[in-house]
Amino acid sequence: MRTFALFCLLIFRKCFAEYASANYFCPDMHRQQIVDISQIQGIWYLMEKINHTEEVRFTTRRTSCPVIHLSRYQAGASSAIQRTTMNQKPLSYERWRDTQISELRHLYEIKQLRMYWDDDDRSKEYQFQYSITDPGLWTSFDVDEGTSQPPSPHGTVQVLKAVGNHLVLIFCLTDPDPLQLFTMILSRDEFMDGRILHSVRGLLRRQGMTVKAIEQACNGTAAFSLQPLLVALSLIVRVIRKYI
């Protein structure tokens, strides 16, 4: 009996530790509740990236100007119901009807968002989905099998602030290791008033986030004025390759 009790205690401690770790790395922030996704699509410039897992205080200045492009899409929406019906065993009319209604509701409520991140000669692409009832929370998912695009890192993005010409996103990536928790402060222009950056850092601190490791980029560097054109050309090439 004592051995069994110790075993249960060890299992409980392990589960609690995993839960606490996930809760620490992916805190539920007081994110913006009303987010118009159509208004945040397009090109953004990275002003600052703040790593919340660093305990050492430092500020670095990047020589590149990362550009992020957001676009909404619905992958495979037209055939989702057909695939589901074909993969299921014959159903009664009532169950078939309920299945169709559930699929239609899912297609209506769950939307998808693509993030293309261009950083000098490196680029990444993230695939997210979100609910129209909570557009400030994006969850990553893997693209369809058979594509050349590697799987997106698993995790979430929370929209902390989306106002006018700036956007604040909190990334929590839990796979692959190591765990990552960072904030990106984005601007529609290649510069941002220092008072806005100071305000965002204060907002993060009030929510209990560590603000010590700051990576600065863009913000008025005229040398990168061709970057959005290069991003647009890169996106066009990627689209063309899919249809060749």
Side-chain angles (χ1 to χ4, degrees):
M1 179 64 70
R2 185 177 179 180
T3 303
F4 178 74
L6 289 174
F7 175 76
C8 292
L9 178 61
L10 289 173
I11 293 296
F12 172 78
R13 290 181 63 181
K14 184 177 185 299
C15 293
F16 179 79
E18 291 179 354
Y19 168 79
S21 176
N23 190 56
Y24 170 77
F25 279 99
C26 296
D28 189 10
M29 309 296 293
H30 296 293
R31 57 183 175 270
Q32 189 163 311
Q33 296 300 312
I34 300 176
V35 179
D36 187 346
I37 298 297
S38 65
Q39 294 298 314
I40 66 174
Q41 293 185 96
I43 289 178
W44 296 89
Y45 299 92
L46 177 62
M47 298 292 107
E48 284 188 357
K49 178 183 176 183
I50 304 173
N51 187 345
H52 300 296
T53 60
E54 288 286 347
E55 293 298 330
V56 179
R57 186 180 301 276
F58 65 88
T59 300
T60 59
R61 172 74 184 181
R62 300 182 61 128
T63 58
S64 61
C65 182
V67 176
I68 286 84
H69 183 271
L70 294 172
S71 59
R72 186 168 53 187
Y73 77 109
Q74 195 73 19
S78 60
S79 58
I81 296 178
Q82 182 180 358
R83 291 198 307 269
T84 302
T85 304
M86 291 176 62
N87 294 333
Q88 287 182 338
K89 295 179 180 179
L91 302 174
S92 65
Y93 171 75
E94 289 77 12
R95 292 185 62 189
W96 176 85
R97 181 194 59 194
D98 292 343
T99 300
Q100 303 304 301
I101 293 175
S102 176
E103 288 291 338
L104 287 171
R105 183 181 296 113
H106 178 82
L107 291 177
Y108 172 72
E109 293 182 353
I110 304 301
K111 304 298 181 183
Q112 296 169 355
L113 192 67
R114 178 185 287 118
M115 174 185 290
Y116 182 71
W117 183 337
D118 184 80
D119 186 1
D120 204 2
D121 59 344
R122 300 180 302 275
S123 63
K124 297 184 243 182
E125 186 171 322
Y126 296 89
Q127 314 283 339
F128 298 106
Q129 59 185 16
Y130 64 92
S131 170
I132 60 174
T133 60
D134 190 6
L137 177 63
W138 309 344
T139 304
S140 67
F141 70 99
D142 295 342
V143 297
D144 292 336
E145 295 182 2
T147 65
S148 59
Q149 175 64 31
S152 294
H154 294 171
T156 61
V157 172
Q158 297 184 65
V159 182
L160 186 63
K161 191 176 182 182
V163 181
N165 64 347
H166 65 279
L167 178 65
V168 182
L169 303 176
I170 299 180
F171 285 71
C172 180
L173 305 180
T174 58
D175 182 42
D177 288 334
L179 300 176
Q180 299 180 62
L181 179 62
F182 60 90
T183 293
M184 293 204 313
I185 305 176
L186 308 174
S187 172
R188 285 293 192 188
D189 304 310
E190 293 181 63
F191 61 91
M192 179 177 284
D193 192 319
R195 291 172 294 184
I196 297 178
L197 293 172
H198 181 76
S199 173
V200 172
R201 294 178 205 146
L203 177 60
L204 290 168
R205 291 189 182 97
R206 288 193 296 275
Q207 298 217 29
M209 306 294 284
T210 300
V211 182
K212 292 182 179 179
I214 301 175
E215 194 175 301
Q216 298 178 336
C218 302
N219 216 14
T221 306
F224 302 106
S225 58
L226 291 178
Q227 190 79 350
L229 177 59
L230 296 176
V231 172
L233 290 174
S234 178
L235 289 170
I236 292 173
V237 170
R238 291 170 72 90
V239 171
I240 292 176
R241 284 178 177 173
K242 290 181 180 180
Y243 294 96
I244 294 179

